[in-house]
Amino acid sequence: MSLQPYRQVLAVPGVRMAMLLFFFTRLPMTATGITLTLHVVSDLGRGYGEAGLVGTATMLGSALGAPIVGRMIDRYGLRPVTSVCGLTSAAFWLATPHLPYTALLVTALPAGALVLPASSIARQVLTALVPPESRRSAYSLDSILLETTFMVGPSAGIAVSTQLSSTLALSGIGACFALGTVALCWFNPPIRHEAEVVTAARPPMREWLTPRLVGALLVASGALFCLIGTELATLAALRATGEVGWTGVVIAVMCVASAVGGIVHGAVRKSLSQARLMVLLTVLVIPVGLASGLPWWLLAIALVPTNLACAPTLASTAEEVTGLAPPRVRGEAMGLLDAATRLGMAAGSPVVGFVIDHTTPGWGFAAAGLFGLGFAVVAFGLRRRSARVPAVASL
């Protein structure tokens, strides 16, 4: 294994600035889920299932809006679309701590539809800046930086919520959205590679939304279902043992493990396929429930194996979707990828939250893994169907 692929990516003009920019624009997003959960459970006195419903509404809105936002970026460019989405996100999170539960639940969906699509934009910008032969390393590096934001964002959200107040934590998220939007509009990075030929006419969706691409999107949904469910089960397990203050440390361990997996994935000449990485991610989280009643540091160790597959799974998914989508509709394809991840998160929060509310946190880990594995099985079936179609057509 060599780090030379990463050196080549970072030597490309504009990549370092883009990486830094998207680190800060995605930072508040990583803090939203767990901070909102703490606010609903602790300050509003609701259950984990009800907290999951708010998260579901936000993610469902994002899932519905992401392809449309991506299509608008394809048509109008980055700056005008980013301005609208970023300001909407900032306004919602600044208002969140002052809303009663019912109002929060009602406004979550429209606010989610116009959330700032930082991850989608990051993938488009990296695709525009980096040549095809270096994109796996670029996506891996992006996933590693994303994991770094997950080390900082949720930990900061938990610390501010528990030591000061959730009002301050949620208001800080809104302020960060506003600052990130200003920075993104100021730098206005490219969203297409200069060598790519972009046709004036958009190809019909039926031509590029193939079963293989749908399978890749399903893997993204399943991966995020598993990840958000694991995060929620971790919080519940630590809360049940009176060690919720260690949640940030446990999540940091998870992110470090994911980053290590991402480094290896981007540095080796040939990595595991998207489907195999997904299976590892989901299967390895199921037995973590056995450690849910143990001290926080044993729980953290038990979470390491599954998280080693986290960043590689996300990076391989981005690479798969980018390779299958034509440049003219890449924004819409990235929007569909964002929608797939949001749907996975939207489904994971209430499903795993319901399991936790009616059983124990340990079963939450099992639910996250088993449901995620179901997504992987369906995606594998679509992939095999896509592989058979050319063979049948050639007969």
Side-chain angles (χ1 to χ4, degrees), residues 30 34 41 49 128 154 197 304 332:
T30 62
I34 201 163
V41 172
V197 178
V304 168
E332 188 172 359

Side-chain angles (χ1 to χ4, degrees), residues 240-275:
T241 57
E243 297 179 311
V244 69
W246 292 101
T247 306
V249 178
V250 175
I251 290 177
V253 171
M254 295 164 62
C255 293
V256 169
S258 179
V260 170
I263 291 171
V264 175
H265 175 75
V268 296
R269 292 185 177 180
K270 186 177 181 180
S271 183
L272 295 177
S273 67
Q274 180 198 35

Side-chain angles (χ1 to χ4, degrees), residues 135-191:
R135 284 176 184 168
R136 178 158 62 91
S137 299
Y139 296 142
S140 296
L141 185 58
D142 180 61
S143 295
I144 294 167
L145 289 178
L146 179 61
E147 292 301 332
T148 306
T149 64
F150 272 105
M151 283 190 276
V152 178
S155 300
I158 292 168
V160 175
S161 296
T162 56
Q163 302 301 319
L164 297 173
S165 70
S166 62
T167 298
L168 184 59
L170 293 168
S171 299
I173 289 173
C176 288
F177 269 119
L179 292 174
T181 300
V182 172
L184 194 55
C185 291
W186 177 271
F187 288 103
N188 194 31
I191 57 174

Side-chain angles (χ1 to χ4, degrees), residues 48-49 350-361 363:
Y48 284 103
V351 170
V352 176
F354 180 85
V355 172
I356 293 171
D357 286 339
H358 291 80
T359 55
T360 63
W363 283 106

Side-chain angles (χ1 to χ4, degrees), residues 5 81 85 102 140 142 148 160 178 208 212 236 275 299 302 307 354 357 372 381:
V81 180
C85 293
T102 303
S140 296
D142 180 61
T148 306
V160 175
W208 57 269
R212 182 175 177 179
L299 178 62
N307 280 279
F354 180 85
D357 286 339

